[in-house]
Amino acid sequence: MDCLFCKIIAGEIPSTKVYEDEYVYSFKDIAPIAPVHNLIIPKQHICCANGVDESNSAVVGKVFEAAAKIAKAEGMESYRIINNCGEDAGQTVFHLHFHMVGGVKMGWGPESLGKTE
Ligand code: 5GP
Ligand code: ZN
């Protein structure tokens, strides 16, 4: 399958590994938007949040289990986990992934959704 993140999991494309277990792989985003910016992905190829169903939803729980472990290891109590689903939401890699961003105080408001009016 021609999928960037499947290739990263397979080690065909290098990445800076943050965490790995049977179900989950985590690595540093190549273009960080915050002091901490990890991507957390299931090893199973799922296109996006719309591809989550009864047969594969357990791996999403594994992703959040991993997130808690990663945060603890990084000594990070506050962080945001973001999933972009679909092109209009900004998804560019169609292998389900969760952005873990932190290490900075974050705001929340219309600006974060790209709306300025
Ligand atoms: P999306 O926009 O699909 O939600 O997120 C894709 C993320 O993958 C982006 O934040 C982008 O910087 C990151 N990314 C794209 N290509 C690579 C790569 O080859 N290596 C790493 N580490 N991150 C990548
Ligand atoms: Zn994939």
Side-chain angles (χ1 to χ4, degrees):
M1 190 185 302
D2 195 26
C3 167
L4 177 67
F5 286 176
C6 281
K7 286 180 183 161
I8 284 179
I9 293 164
E12 291 163 22
I13 292 173
S15 65
T16 305
K17 180 162 93 173
V18 171
Y19 175 87
E20 182 173 16
D21 65 29
E22 190 182 344
Y23 304 100
V24 174
Y25 187 74
S26 177
F27 55 107
K28 292 197 178 301
D29 196 293
I30 205 167
I33 61 164
V36 176
H37 188 172
N38 302 322
L39 296 173
I40 310 176
I41 67 181
K43 287 187 172 174
Q44 183 180 356
H45 180 91
I46 300 169
C47 69
C48 54
N50 284 335
V52 175
D53 61 24
E54 237 177 42
S55 76
N56 60 25
S57 62
V59 298
V60 179
K62 296 292 181 189
V63 163
F64 277 80
E65 280 182 44
K69 287 183 197 166
I70 294 163
K72 202 171 176 189
E74 301 212 7
M76 188 172 64
E77 206 166 297
S78 287
Y79 52 91
R80 192 171 281 167
I81 292 183
I82 301 163
N83 168 255
N84 296 326
C85 179
E87 276 177 33
D88 284 356
Q91 187 175 7
T92 58
V93 180
F94 282 77
H95 179 126
L96 181 65
H97 57 278
F98 296 83
H99 299 258
M100 172 184 245
V101 293
V104 67
K105 194 156 175 73
M106 290 171 272
W108 180 256
E111 303 80 13
S112 67
L113 296 174
K115 287 183 190 160
T116 51
E117 291 163 26

